[in-house]
Amino acid sequence: MQAAPTVLIMGPPGAGKGTQAGQLAEAFKLRYVATGDLLRTAVANATSLGVEAKGFMDAGDLVPDELVIALIRELASQLPSDAGLLLDGFPRTREQAVALNDMLHELGRRVDIAIDIQVPSEVLVERLSGRWICSSCQTPYNVNSKPPVKDGVCDRDGCELYQRDDDTEQAVRNRLAVYAQQTKPVANYYLDQKVLVTLDGNQPPDQVRSHLFSAMRSRSS
Ligand code: AMP
C-alpha cells in the first residue's frame, strides 16, 4: 500500500459503508469523501448539480456518470499528494471506475484496496426502510434494531430525526436493483486488479470493523 493510500468502500445501500468508513478514515487518517453526502448537500443548497441530481436520487436511480465523475475530478485535483483518500459510494459503474483509474494515474496514485461489504438483500430492505438519521449530527438509528430512546429525537444532541427521501420501500427496492445491475459488477474490475477484499457485513458492526481493520493492516505491512 502506498504511503498516502487510496481506499474504496463498496457494497449495497444499507451495508453499513458510512458507519465503517467514518471509523476507518479516523483510524487510518484518510480524507473521507462520500458522493452520496456531497450530492445531498448539493440538493439541500439547490446548486445546479443538486437540481439536476435530485430526481434521480429520490427515485433511487444513479445520478448520470458525467456529473459524478466531474465532482470527483474536482476533489481529486485539490487533494494534497501526501493525503490518504477514502471514497465511499464511488465508483458505482464501470465507466466511473475507468475514469477514476485515469484520474489517479495522472496523480501518480492507484486504488490500493477496494473493500466490498456484502449483506443479503432481505436484511438490507429491513435496515434501510427502518433507518432514521439525525438532522444535525447524522447519527443513524433503526426503528427495528437501534431505536432512539425518545421517538423521533437524537439521543446525542436532541435534534429531530428524518428519513431520507430514498429510504422509502419503493426507492429502496429500486436502489438494490440498480446496485445489482450496475454496481456489483464493478467489484470484478478490482478483482482483476487484485485489490478487492470482500467482507461479510451481516454481523455486528464491531466485528465488521475488526475484519476491515485487519484487512487494511495486512495490506499496509
Ligand atoms: P448513498 O448515500 O451512497 O446511498 O447515495 C445516495 C444516492 O446518491 C444514490 O442512490 C444515487 O442516486 C446518488 N449517488 C451517490 N453516489 C453516486 C455515484 N457514484 N454515481 C451515481 N449516483 C450516485
Side-chain angles (χ1 to χ4, degrees), residues 13-14 17 34-37 39-40 53 56-58 60-65 68 88-93 96 131 164 166 175:
K17 298 187 295 288
T35 41
D37 290 347
L39 289 166
R40 276 185 290 280
F56 296 102
M57 294 174 75
D58 286 352
D61 288 326
L62 292 185
V63 172
D65 281 337
V68 190
D88 169 357
F90 184 93
R92 260 169 149 108
T93 63
Q96 293 179 18
R131 177 163 74 173
R164 275 171 46 170
D166 58 355
R175 284 161 69 199

Side-chain angles (χ1 to χ4, degrees), residues 73-219:
R73 189 179 295 284
E74 195 187 328
L75 275 159
S77 70
Q78 293 162 2
L79 187 73
S81 57
D82 60 352
L85 176 64
L86 174 59
L87 287 177
D88 169 357
F90 184 93
R92 260 169 149 108
T93 63
R94 199 184 157 81
E95 287 69 22
Q96 293 179 18
V98 172
L100 177 65
N101 210 48
D102 293 349
M103 268 180 245
L104 292 175
H105 185 73
E106 280 167 28
L107 298 171
R109 304 172 76 120
R110 59 179 155 73
V111 171
D112 292 277
I113 177 166
I115 298 145
D116 191 16
I117 305 182
Q118 287 300 309
V119 178
S121 304
E122 60 279 10
V123 177
L124 295 171
V125 173
E126 191 184 307
R127 279 190 191 175
L128 290 168
S129 46
R131 177 163 74 173
W132 286 75
I133 302 168
C134 173
S135 52
S136 171
C137 70
Q138 308 302 319
T139 299
Y141 294 87
N142 190 290
V143 289
N144 309 308
S145 56
K146 189 196 158 201
V149 174
K150 192 172 162 212
D151 261 7
V153 175
C154 179
D155 295 349
R156 290 173 67 176
D157 58 17
C159 291
E160 201 183 334
L161 305 183
Y162 76 101
Q163 189 175 37
R164 275 171 46 170
D165 288 340
D166 58 355
D167 278 348
T168 59
E169 192 171 336
Q170 193 189 6
V172 164
R173 292 201 182 277
N174 189 38
R175 284 161 69 199
L176 293 176
V178 166
Y179 168 79
Q181 243 175 28
Q182 301 188 55
T183 307
K184 200 165 170 28
V186 176
N188 287 332
Y189 184 84
Y190 294 109
L191 184 66
D192 289 347
Q193 294 191 4
K194 302 192 172 37
V195 293
L196 186 71
V197 172
T198 304
L199 295 181
D200 175 7
N202 193 18
Q203 28 178 1
D206 284 356
Q207 275 180 39
V208 179
R209 187 189 56 201
S210 146
H211 290 136
L212 177 55
F213 280 26
S214 304
M216 283 290 291
R217 289 199 188 97
S218 70
R219 293 278 163 146

